[in-house]
Amino acid sequence: MNAESETDRDARTPPAGVAVVVIGYDDAAHVTDAVRSALAQGPAVREVVAVDDCSTDGSAGLLDRLATSEPRLRVIRRRANSGGCGTPRNTGLDAVTSPYVMFLDSDDVLPPGAVDALLEAAEGAHAEVAGGLCVRRELPSGREVPWQARLYALHSVVPHPARRPRLVHDTLCVNKLYRTGFLRAHGIRFPEGRFPYEDVVFTARVLAAAPRIALVPDRVYVWHVRRSAGRLSISLDRSGVENWRARTEACRQAYEVLLGAGQKELARAVRAKFLDHDLRMYVRELGLRDAAYRRAWWELTRAHLAEYDADDWARNPAAPGRLIGRVVLASPEPCDLPRLRELAARPARLCPPYARAADGTPVWSDALPVSLEPLRARPVRALPLAVDAELRPCARGTRLRLRLRLRLRLHELYGRVAQAGPESVEAEWLHRDDGGVVVRDTAVPLAPCPSGSEPAGTAGSEAVVLAQGPEPAGRAGSRAVALAWGAEPAGAVAVGPYARGVEPAGTAGTAGTAGTVRGGAWSAEVAVDLAALSALGAGTWDLRLRIRFRDGVSRDVSAHALRGAGLLRRSAVPSVRHGVVLVQPYATHSGALALRVAPGVRGVLSVARARLRRLLH
C-alpha cells in the first residue's frame, strides 16, 4: 500500500499566494508607490500584475524599470485606453496565476500587514472572500475616515451574504481578497469600458454567487482622496449629471444581478442603500449646481425611483432617504432644495414648516402633501431634530447661542417628543483633520423658550428673519442657562420654507386642522472654549450636539447654521496667548454649522494666502 503522507502532499502543494492587480492611467506620480506597497507585503504576495491602461505620461516606463529589479512584478501594457477601471482589472485578473487576488488603484496604497491579515482570515475560515477596513485619507491634510467601519468592527465569518445584508453597503472591491478560482468558476468580472462605479456591479456579482466571507477589523487599504488634483478620480468628479446617471445605472444593475440570482433580500438592501447613502449624498450638493443640472438630476432620479415597488418604500418608511425619495417622486420639478438638503444631512434635520392635511395627517408641506405619517413610529433617539445655531463674538469671549427646536411635525413636537422631556445639551467641536481631537463642553440644561423669544437670523436662504427677544441679563459668555417654554406670538406668519406658520388658537397638537403648524422650542446658551480650539493652530471644527431626554435616551445631532445680518461673518477676537484669533463660522454643504479658527500672525497670514489663491484661480 503506497499511502501518501500528509508531509509528502504538503511538500508538493505550493503555499497559498496572493496576486495584487495594480491598475493605472497617466499616474506617474503615484503608481510606483502603489506597486511598492504591494511588494512590501512580504512573501504572501507571490506576484504583482501592473496593468498600464495606455498611459502617455511615462508611467509604463517607470513600471518597466522597477520590474528589472523586482522579479515578482509583471507589467502589462494595454494598446488602447479603456476609459474606465473595469477593463484593466479584467486584464490583470486574466493574467493572475496565484490562488488569491486583490485589486489596488495606482493612487492608493496597501498598509503594512494587509495581505497577511486577509490571507490568514480567508484560509482560517475556508472563505472565498475576505474583507477588511478601508480608510479614506484626505490629502494633503492626512485626515483619515474609516469606510463602513460597522462591518469591520470585529473578526467574523459570514457563511452566506444574506445573513449580513449590510454587506451591500461596502461596494469597494479593493479592500478584499478573493479566491481566484471562485471568481473564475462563477465568471465574475468587472463591466468593460467606461463604466463608472464598476465595483458596485462587481460586488453584486460576488455576493450573488453566495461566497463564504471572512471579515477582519484590520486596516487593509488606504484610499487617497486628492480633491485638489488636476484630474479628479471618477468617483469624486460629481460636477456633471452624467456621473449621477452612471451611479443610478450601476445601482440598477446591482439590484438586477442579485434579484436574478434569487438573493431578494440583498436586492432590497441595494435599493435601501441607494436611498440612505447615494441619494442623500447628492441631495446635499444639489444646491451647488446650476438650474440645468438640477432639472436633469431631478428627472433622472424620478425615473430611477419609479422602478421601486411598495415593499421598497415600506421598509423603514421614516428613514430620511425614503422621505426624500417620496418628495422627489411627488414633484415633477425641483422643489424645497434647502429643506431637502437639511433632511439629507448626517444626522438628518427636518426643518419647518410642519404642515398637516385636512384629516390631520402630517405632510411635507401644504403645496406637496407627501405623508409624514411614518414619523409617528420613529423612536425619539432617531428623530431628525432641527437645531438652529448662531455664533457671535462678545466682550468676554465667543458665545454660541443655541436654540433647540423640535421641528419634526406638530404631533411629535407637542406630543411624544415633549413627553420625552429634553433636559440638556452637550456641545462638541470635532477637528476636521483629526477626528480624534474633540473639544467638549459641559452639558447645560435645556428649557422651553419664553413666548416671543425667537432667536434672530434666517434659517436658510429663503427664510424670513424671525423676531428675537432680549438676551438674559448677565449671560454673555456664560456656560449657564436660563430657559422657559411658551407658545409663539399669535398671528405669526409663515414665509419661506424655514419660517413658522400660523395655527388657529387652541389647536396646537390636535388633529383635524389643515395647514402649516407651529411648535415650541427649547434654547440654551453655551460659552465656546476658544483657547482650546486655537491651541492646535489654524484648523476647522465641526459642531456636534448631544441632546439628553428625561428617560436617559440621547440623540446626537448637528446644528443648522442660521443666516442673516451679522451672522456667519469673520471676526477678530483678542487673545492673551495669540494676540488675535480669526474666527469664521460658516455653513457646510449640508447646512451644518462649522468653525474655522486661525490664531496669531501665522493664522492671519494663512487666511490671507488662502484668499489670494482663490482670487488668482
Side-chain angles (χ1 to χ4, degrees):
M1 181 175 174
N2 295 320
E4 191 176 44
S5 71
E6 284 292 327
T7 304
D8 292 336
R9 285 199 300 270
D10 291 345
R12 291 205 309 270
T13 303
V18 176
V20 180
V21 174
V22 184
I23 63 167
Y25 168 66
D26 279 358
D27 197 14
H30 309 114
V31 65
T32 54
D33 290 336
V35 170
R36 287 192 175 99
S37 76
L39 293 167
Q41 297 294 311
V45 172
R46 181 187 296 177
E47 57 183 332
V48 175
V49 179
V51 182
D52 180 76
D53 201 11
C54 197
S55 295
T56 60
D57 68 344
S59 295
L62 292 174
L63 291 170
D64 286 338
R65 285 192 289 274
L66 183 58
T68 61
S69 59
E70 292 289 353
R72 290 179 293 164
L73 173 60
R74 181 155 42 120
V75 180
I76 301 176
R77 296 194 188 192
R78 288 186 48 78
R79 295 183 178 181
N81 180 259
S82 68
C85 297
T87 297
R89 286 195 183 124
N90 288 336
T91 300
L93 181 57
D94 290 340
V96 163
T97 62
S98 301
Y100 294 93
V101 62
M102 291 183 66
F103 301 99
L104 171 62
D105 291 346
S106 62
D107 53 350
D108 301 329
V109 294
L110 298 179
V115 172
D116 283 338
L118 291 173
L119 183 58
E120 181 181 350
E123 294 266 279
H126 303 288
E128 288 82 19
V129 179
L133 184 66
C134 168
V135 294
R136 290 167 51 107
R137 180 181 292 166
E138 299 273 351
L139 296 176
S141 70
R143 177 196 183 202
E144 292 190 349
V145 179
W147 172 260
Q148 296 298 326
R150 284 173 54 188
L151 270 176
Y152 302 104
L154 300 169
H155 287 273
S156 60
V157 177
V158 183
H160 192 288
R163 302 268 188 95
R164 193 77 59 89
R166 191 165 182 84
L167 286 167
V168 304
H169 285 251
D170 184 9
T171 55
L172 299 181
C173 68
V174 290
N175 61 329
K176 301 175 184 70
L177 177 143
Y178 307 90
R179 193 181 292 274
T180 309
F182 164 77
L183 296 181
R184 290 174 176 166
H186 292 276
I188 298 172
R189 297 172 67 80
F190 292 89
E192 293 278 348
R194 181 164 181 78
F195 191 102
Y197 307 107
E198 75 294 329
D199 46 358
V200 173
V201 178
F202 177 84
T203 298
R205 291 171 177 172
V206 169
L207 297 177
R212 184 177 176 87
I213 302 174
L215 306 176
V216 300
D218 306 70
R219 287 162 43 113
V220 301
Y221 197 86
V222 179
W223 174 2
H224 286 149
V225 179
R226 297 179 173 90
R227 299 187 189 277
S228 60
R231 187 190 72 204
L232 288 174
S233 67
I234 293 174
S235 61
L236 289 178
D237 188 3
R238 298 195 291 269
S239 58
V241 76
E242 288 305 312
N243 176 278
W244 180 240
R245 188 190 305 274
R247 188 180 283 262
T248 56
E249 177 58 26
C251 292
R252 179 182 293 109
Q253 289 196 26
Y255 171 82
E256 292 172 351
V257 165
L258 289 164
L259 194 63
Q263 305 285 353
K264 189 173 182 178
E265 288 301 312
L266 291 178
R268 296 283 188 202
V270 165
R271 285 184 167 177
K273 175 259 179 188
F274 177 85
L275 294 170
D276 184 62
H277 174 71
D278 305 75
L279 182 64
R280 291 174 71 178
M281 176 170 58
Y282 281 73
V283 165
R284 289 195 294 270
E285 301 174 352
L286 200 53
L288 305 175
R289 313 303 183 195
D290 60 29
Y293 176 102
R294 292 196 294 266
R295 285 194 299 271
W297 183 94
W298 200 269
E299 182 179 351
L300 283 169
T301 306
R302 296 185 80 229
H304 182 70
L305 295 179
E307 299 173 4
Y308 285 33
D309 59 31
D311 284 345
D312 294 318
W313 298 109
R315 300 186 177 206
N316 196 8
R322 282 171 174 77
L323 297 181
I324 293 170
R326 291 168 62 216
V327 169
V328 172
L329 271 179
S331 175
E333 298 290 335
C335 70
D336 295 341
L337 298 187
R339 194 173 183 220
L340 288 171
R341 178 195 65 178
E342 299 284 331
L343 187 56
R346 293 190 182 277
R349 299 184 295 269
L350 181 61
C351 293
Y354 302 118
R356 289 184 296 169
D359 62 358
T361 300
V363 293
W364 176 257
S365 68
D366 297 337
L368 202 66
V370 174
S371 174
L372 301 183
E373 182 69 19
L375 286 174
R376 292 185 188 273
R378 194 79 166 164
V380 173
R381 64 180 179 276
L383 289 172
L385 304 180
V387 182
D388 292 341
E390 60 179 86
L391 191 64
R392 293 179 182 270
C394 60
R396 294 175 55 188
T398 304
R399 183 181 59 222
L400 176 68
R401 298 183 56 233
L402 297 173
R403 188 186 66 183
L404 174 61
R405 285 183 180 172
L406 302 183
R407 294 179 168 181
L408 301 175
R409 53 183 176 148
L410 179 61
H411 177 75
E412 295 287 351
L413 212 54
Y414 293 160
R416 183 167 49 84
V417 176
Q419 282 184 340
E423 289 193 331
S424 66
V425 60
E426 180 181 358
E428 296 181 343
W429 294 94
L430 285 71
H431 197 278
R432 178 74 58 79
D433 294 332
D434 187 350
V437 177
V438 180
V439 174
R440 183 176 290 108
D441 209 334
T442 56
V444 295
L446 279 167
C449 297
S451 177
S453 62
E454 293 280 356
T458 59
S461 58
E462 300 178 31
V464 295
V465 177
L466 302 176
Q468 177 184 357
E471 296 180 17
R475 294 301 187 190
S478 170
R479 294 176 184 265
V481 207
L483 308 162
W485 181 28
E488 291 184 3
V493 179
V495 182
Y498 292 93
R500 307 244 252 173
V502 183
E503 185 175 10
T507 62
T510 63
T513 304
T516 302
V517 298
R518 290 186 323 226
W522 290 260
S523 64
E525 187 173 292
V526 183
V528 175
D529 190 348
L530 190 56
L533 296 182
S534 59
L536 293 181
T540 301
W541 299 82
D542 292 304
L543 176 63
R544 292 291 183 271
L545 306 171
R546 177 162 297 164
I547 302 166
R548 298 188 186 278
F549 296 88
R550 185 169 50 241
D551 59 359
V553 171
S554 65
R555 171 63 166 148
D556 290 345
V557 300
S558 57
H560 168 76
L562 284 176
R563 304 169 187 268
L567 299 176
L568 303 185
R569 184 173 60 185
R570 182 183 294 115
S571 303
V573 180
S575 167
V576 174
R577 178 178 178 183
H578 302 287
V580 65
V581 177
L582 291 184
V583 179
Q584 172 68 72
Y586 73 98
T588 66
H589 286 172
S590 68
L593 181 67
L595 181 64
R596 295 189 184 99
V597 174
V601 176
R602 287 187 178 181
V604 173
L605 291 176
S606 69
V607 171
R609 284 194 295 268
R611 294 196 65 181
L612 181 61
R613 283 195 298 270
R614 287 195 294 271
L615 290 174
L616 293 176
H617 295 87

